Amino acid sequence: MEILLRLHPTQRHDKQIEAMNPVQKKFADQRKKLKNLSTRLFNSKTLVLSQTTPYEIIGEYEHAQIRYYASPNKAYQEPLVFVAPLAINMAIYDLYPYRSLIKHFQHSGFDVYLIDWGRLNYAHRHLNFMYFINAAIPHCIEQIRQHSHSEQISLHGWSMAGVFVMLYTAYRQPQIVKNLMVLGSPVDSYASGRIGQLFKRSNQLISRNHKLKQALHQGSIPPHFIHTPGIINALGFKILDPKGWLDSQRQLFLNLHDPQVLHEHATLGSFLNNMIDYPGGINQDMVLNVWLQNPLKNGIIRLKDEHIELKNIRCSLFVGAGQSDQIVTAAAAQPLSQLTSSTDVTFTLIPGGHLGLMSSQKSANEFWPKLTRWLEQRSTKIHKETA
């Protein structure tokens, strides 16, 4: 009821409009649209619906916190652990009260944990892949195992976090990861449409200059030079998918009379406009290694003095890609399916783009149930004692 009231605050006013003549209705409708537009532009915080699901903080690791969302009807032993990418805030996992990825899995019988990296800033510019895959993620997962009283977990990573979880699983080779889900993550980065071709051509040009190649490929650029603040990340996300951003603005102006469209546009806008810094060390590993050099295409990556091979992944593996993703295309994500030693691999296309595969209505209707069935079939069912 509370959600309905928030979504339909003008129902009484709508009934008054129905009693008017056509001319009065037209002017009343225009006033309503202008009022809604004014609210969206100048008081958008009152429209935001994200992160309403209650949670408990059960652990910390330096700047990171571990959120726990208990299932009201727990049916499976292994908890589902969401590892968040950097730059984003946690709203994407609990975007709307009526369309929340966390709430969906909670009510599907899974205890849910979310690793929130906090608001990284310039002081964290030195952080890199090895920090996350060999320190932060292992420490957080150990706390989750202790709290959940479960030997094994199911691990989910989207976008950069998909790279985190695949490299963590390949490097640490933990038996505790029973099910691994990697969504919208670049493996053959050069195959990722125009963006991939841009990186491919850039690397070809860089390779002609020995000094420049050495500086960019060997990670000798000081992290403070390539650290990017959140505002740049927010702008970059929109530039990489201009069509998606423009379409959302168009839908808003065409539907200013619809309270739900107003709330959803403000909620998604709040998510996109409140991005967090990328540490310089992460840009070195993600942009100048994964994207520029494209090592994961061959199933191996070098990070400092460590070589990590994807063939070390042996658990059940689910790989997904957005059907209309312009940032990480299906051709860029799908090769992971052939690079591991897993004998249980599923690849699927997901409705939506890079963001939509996590949050769109079509993804919620079509993909979330598919992923849930996959996870249920590979999780340990709890047999409750009967009285």
Side-chain angles (χ1 to χ4, degrees):
M1 179 64 70
E2 180 182 350
I3 295 171
L4 290 175
L5 288 173
R6 293 185 70 184
L7 290 178
H8 305 283
T10 58
Q11 284 181 331
R12 183 179 299 175
H13 182 62
D14 290 342
K15 290 182 179 179
Q16 293 173 344
I17 292 176
E18 289 176 6
M20 298 177 180
N21 63 49
V23 175
Q24 290 174 321
K25 282 184 179 181
K26 183 177 180 180
F27 281 107
D29 185 57
Q30 291 301 320
R31 284 197 299 269
K32 177 182 176 182
K33 289 180 180 180
L34 287 173
K35 182 180 178 182
N36 286 345
L37 179 60
S38 176
T39 302
R40 174 65 187 93
L41 292 175
F42 304 111
N43 200 17
S44 61
K45 288 183 179 180
T46 63
L47 300 171
V48 175
L49 301 176
S50 59
Q51 301 197 71
T52 58
T53 305
Y55 61 86
E56 175 187 352
I57 299 296
I58 60 95
E60 297 180 344
Y61 180 75
E62 297 186 354
H63 44 78
Q65 291 186 328
I66 305 168
R67 299 185 183 188
Y68 169 54
Y69 300 82
S71 173
N73 53 337
K74 183 177 178 180
Y76 300 95
Q77 178 61 42
E78 296 84 13
L80 172 57
V81 180
F82 288 109
V83 176
L86 303 186
I88 70 161
N89 59 73
M90 298 302 100
I92 192 65
Y93 293 94
D94 188 29
L95 202 54
Y96 310 113
Y98 48 87
R99 193 165 78 242
S100 160
L101 188 60
I102 281 174
K103 190 176 290 186
H104 170 82
F105 279 100
Q106 264 189 311
H107 290 271
S108 296
F110 295 93
D111 277 347
V112 175
Y113 294 82
L114 171 61
I115 300 178
D116 174 6
W117 300 121
R119 297 201 66 86
L120 301 179
N121 54 46
Y122 185 73
H124 305 105
R125 60 191 178 277
H126 61 284
L127 298 183
N128 56 25
F129 272 16
M130 288 304 294
Y131 168 82
F132 288 95
I133 68 177
N134 196 38
I137 291 175
H139 278 86
C140 289
I141 287 178
E142 186 54 36
Q143 292 181 69
I144 290 169
R145 290 176 65 220
Q146 292 177 13
H147 183 267
S148 65
H149 305 292
S150 177
E151 285 295 317
Q152 293 185 300
I153 64 167
S154 295
L155 196 56
H156 178 291
W158 162 64
S159 192
M160 180 188 289
V163 179
F164 282 171
V165 298
M166 75 170 85
L167 294 184
Y168 158 73
T169 307
Y171 181 64
R172 302 280 296 207
Q173 301 180 50
Q175 298 299 313
I176 60 174
V177 178
K178 188 172 186 178
N179 306 301
L180 180 63
M181 290 149 278
V182 179
L183 310 180
S185 303
V187 175
D188 181 0
S189 63
Y190 290 173
S192 198
R194 293 179 180 178
I195 296 173
Q197 287 303 301
L198 176 62
F199 275 105
K200 181 179 180 179
R201 288 194 294 270
S202 298
N203 196 44
Q204 290 170 344
L205 291 173
I206 289 166
S207 296
R208 297 176 185 176
N209 186 310
H210 178 71
K211 289 185 178 180
L212 182 59
K213 177 182 177 181
Q214 188 174 32
L216 294 178
H217 284 200
Q218 296 185 8
S220 57
I221 299 177
H224 63 270
F225 283 131
I226 50 176
H227 180 93
T228 51
I231 190 170
I232 299 298
N233 295 328
L235 180 62
F237 196 95
K238 294 169 185 175
I239 290 174
L240 288 172
D241 187 16
K243 184 178 182 299
W245 184 80
L246 289 172
D247 283 348
S248 71
Q249 309 311 310
R250 179 174 175 271
Q251 287 303 313
L252 172 66
F253 282 101
L254 289 176
N255 296 279
L256 281 171
H257 62 283
D258 188 336
Q260 182 165 338
V261 171
L262 197 67
H263 279 276
E264 292 196 359
H265 188 272
T267 300
L268 194 57
S270 175
F271 166 76
L272 290 172
N273 292 330
N274 288 285
M275 290 198 167
I276 304 164
D277 292 17
Y278 269 142
I282 287 294
N283 277 325
Q284 175 66 58
D285 289 335
M286 189 71 192
V287 178
L288 301 181
N289 194 341
V290 170
W291 278 102
L292 184 65
Q293 300 175 57
N294 198 24
L296 291 177
K297 177 184 178 180
N298 299 314
I300 188 169
I301 189 171
R302 180 179 178 181
L303 299 173
K304 300 299 182 183
D305 297 325
E306 301 292 336
H307 283 77
I308 303 175
E309 299 184 60
L310 298 180
K311 68 179 182 181
N312 292 329
I313 297 173
R314 296 180 173 83
C315 58
S316 296
L317 175 64
F318 188 104
V319 182
Q323 289 176 341
S324 55
D325 194 338
Q326 300 300 307
I327 298 175
V328 181
T329 63
Q334 194 273 338
L336 179 61
S337 303
Q338 287 84 44
L339 293 171
T340 75
S341 298
S342 174
T343 57
D344 176 17
V345 180
T346 300
F347 172 77
T348 193
L349 291 175
I350 307 167
H354 197 65
L355 186 60
L357 70 86
M358 286 285 288
S359 61
S360 73
Q361 185 66 64
K362 197 169 184 181
S363 178
N365 292 342
E366 298 178 15
F367 173 63
W368 293 5
K370 180 186 293 187
L371 183 59
T372 303
R373 287 192 297 272
W374 183 90
L375 192 57
E376 288 172 344
Q377 292 166 2
R378 292 159 178 81
S379 298
T380 305
K381 183 78 173 178
I382 296 175
H383 299 286
K384 297 181 180 178
E385 295 182 4
T386 55

